Amino acid sequence: MDKLSYTSEGRTSAWSTYLQQIDRVTSYLGNLSRWIDTLRHPKRTLIVDIPLQMDNGTIRHFEGYRVQHNLSRGPGKGGIRYHPRVDLNEVMALSAWMTIKCAAVNLPYGGAKGGIRVDPFKLSEGELERLTRRYTSEIGIIIGPQKDIPAPDVGTNSKVMAWIMDTYSMNLGNTVTGVVTGKPIHLGGSLGREKATGRGVFITGCEVASRENINIKNARIAIQGFGNVGSEVARLFETAGGKVVVIQDHTATLYNNKGINISELVKWQNKNKNILGFPEADPIDKEAFWETQMDILIPAALEGQITKERAEIISCKLVLEGANGPTYPDADDVLATRGITVVPDVICNAGGVTVSYFEWVQDMASFFWSEDEINKRSDKIMIDAMSHVWKKSKEKKCSLRTAAYIVACERILMARKDRGIYPG
Ligand code: NAD
């Protein structure tokens, strides 16, 4: 399903999905539930108009957003998305999921997210740079290393982060590396950041697979999305002996019963920008992706992909949510009834924000760590968070998603309660 049908066909929006997830956790929060409404209201929402002179001399206007959902536990943290269907509803939901995620893995951050409604593939590099710099100046009034720290998301990368860092620094008059994470290494970026989200999906996936007696070796794996997250998680599962039998991106769905050769597909994608036409796998129908025989499903593209209907036909034992918000609440129920375990986005893909946190700490200290040190520290945070959520789900007899929300909401609402309301 493409994103258009996310809000059509009577489907709930991303923000409604988030609100339903909050509704599901409220009864577990005891006295803290008095404060739950704080999570139903984004703290700060900024919509900006970005005029852009195109290479051919015409002027176009783009709409951009930055939403700070909750800052109770620290500065806002969250990526910036460039995609033709970005809207306020989506950015609000993504910012809220960041609030939950940072608290679930216990990072000292609140949640934020930003985006521009644009197809970055249709702009020249010069247009993309001018768009990014104007957007940065427009949201510059609310971002900063102690206020809100953006990072890459769908359609943005380390180059875009370098432009953001430079524009913010130029406007301020001094270099501020800590204003964004996911920067190039030579500009204060962190070793390990690029691969951190995919690595975290793999680490949490292995943790849960071992608890559920699912053997990774020879497991049949399906991955939707072959970008930053999908390609790295594919590589790691292949290295661990798994067979990635089906991969889908926005251009094609590829199948190979013996397992797709990931390093060859990465080479193909680096040259062609997408997976379409890769000769060592068969192209199949888009919808056939969900019907493929699989043990592990990894959505690593966009939200709103696992619908109730798809949840009824998926054959896997384990879903690892690399993407943010890929599963609808009613689909969650179907998966639970069918005994399929879902490792929720707010834990599963938190490896990226964890190493972003390390990048920010290194920038603040101007002292940089080795990749080995970074991987060890992030693996520990991911495994500890996963174990804590696993125990909570057993104790409360609830899904891993609800357990992760209980852990996160308790931390956020304790902070909210102890800070109190200003003015009283
Ligand atoms: P990316 O832009 O690098 O890759 C996105 C991939 O999704 C591409 O392969 C694209 O072709 C595919 N895609 C887009 N629309 C699709 C569609 N309709 N059907 C099938 N495939 C489609 O983005 P990314 O950074 O890998 O992010 C992927 C997901 O992971 C997003 O939900 C993002 O919010 C989430 N995430 C990313 C990070 C990070 O560090 N990059 C961290 C946490 C969560």
Side-chain angles (χ1 to χ4, degrees), residues 212-215 219 294-297 314-319 339-342:
E212 298 273 7
N213 293 322
I214 298 167
N215 199 349
M294 58 175 97
D295 300 306
I296 301 176
L297 167 64
I314 290 167
S315 60
C316 66
K317 302 167 190 139
L318 186 60
V319 177
I340 298 170
T341 301
V342 179

Side-chain angles (χ1 to χ4, degrees), residues 1-3 81 83 94 101 113 152-156 193 197 224-230 248-251 269 286 300-303 305 322-324 349 352-353:
M1 179 179 62
D2 71 22
K3 239 177 117 217
R81 179 172 292 192
H83 190 277
L94 291 167
K101 190 184 302 179
K113 203 86 180 190
D153 191 68
V154 175
T156 58
R193 172 61 185 91
T197 306
Q224 188 195 41
F226 199 66
N228 174 291
V229 181
Q248 179 175 80
D249 79 351
H250 69 290
T251 61
Q269 163 145 297
K286 208 174 165 189
L302 297 168
E303 57 270 14
Q305 296 299 301
N324 287 308
N349 70 33
V353 70

Side-chain angles (χ1 to χ4, degrees), residues 15-254:
W15 178 249
S16 317
T17 292
Y18 163 73
L19 290 179
Q20 285 179 54
Q21 290 163 345
I22 288 295
D23 287 345
R24 287 176 176 211
V25 81
T26 308
S27 64
Y28 293 92
L29 296 175
N31 289 341
L32 285 173
S33 63
R34 174 170 178 254
W35 295 89
I36 193 77
D37 268 356
T38 195
L39 293 172
R40 294 196 175 99
H41 300 275
K43 176 182 174 61
R44 197 171 280 134
T45 302
L46 182 63
I47 304 177
V48 297
D49 169 49
I50 311 158
L52 177 68
Q53 178 152 330
M54 309 302 286
D55 290 346
N56 65 8
T58 57
I59 311 284
R60 285 183 63 194
H61 286 253
F62 296 87
E63 191 158 288
Y65 311 90
R66 186 73 191 170
V67 176
Q68 295 169 347
H69 173 259
N70 188 285
L71 305 180
S72 297
R73 304 179 72 251
K77 189 86 194 81
I80 291 181
R81 179 172 292 192
Y82 289 178
H83 190 277
R85 300 214 182 96
V86 163
D87 62 16
L88 182 60
N89 183 296
E90 178 184 67
V91 179
M92 277 165 55
L94 291 167
S95 69
W97 285 324
M98 286 307 298
T99 302
I100 303 294
K101 190 184 302 179
C102 291
V105 287
N106 213 3
L107 304 179
Y109 287 135
K113 203 86 180 190
I116 305 179
R117 191 179 315 126
V118 61
D119 186 344
F121 297 108
K122 294 203 173 130
L123 298 188
S124 69
E125 181 152 322
E127 289 167 341
L128 202 59
E129 179 174 352
R130 294 196 292 281
L131 180 85
T132 301
R133 288 186 182 278
R134 179 60 186 256
Y135 169 69
T136 306
S137 282
E138 294 292 343
I139 65 164
I141 52 174
I142 61 169
I143 63 168
Q146 304 300 340
K147 296 202 267 184
D148 178 2
I149 307 121
D153 191 68
V154 175
T156 58
N157 54 24
S158 59
K159 190 186 272 182
V160 173
M161 295 307 116
W163 291 328
I164 295 177
M165 190 275 266
D166 183 71
T167 308
Y168 183 85
S169 299
M170 286 295 128
N171 286 341
L172 213 75
N174 57 292
T175 296
V176 188
T177 53
V179 66
V180 279
T181 59
K183 299 178 293 296
I185 306 294
H186 55 277
L187 285 178
S190 178
L191 294 167
R193 172 61 185 91
E194 191 113 348
K195 296 178 172 174
T197 306
R199 184 182 174 92
V201 173
F202 175 72
I203 294 284
T204 49
C206 290
E207 276 297 302
V208 174
S210 75
R211 286 171 160 90
E212 298 273 7
N213 293 322
I214 298 167
N215 199 349
I216 302 288
K217 206 163 168 48
N218 292 323
R220 291 170 64 86
I221 296 162
I223 303 182
Q224 188 195 41
F226 199 66
N228 174 291
V229 181
S231 60
E232 178 60 11
V233 79
R235 188 186 73 79
L236 290 169
F237 271 110
E238 183 190 56
T239 307
K243 276 200 295 185
V244 183
V245 291
V246 62
I247 298 183
Q248 179 175 80
D249 79 351
H250 69 290
T251 61
T253 305
L254 299 179

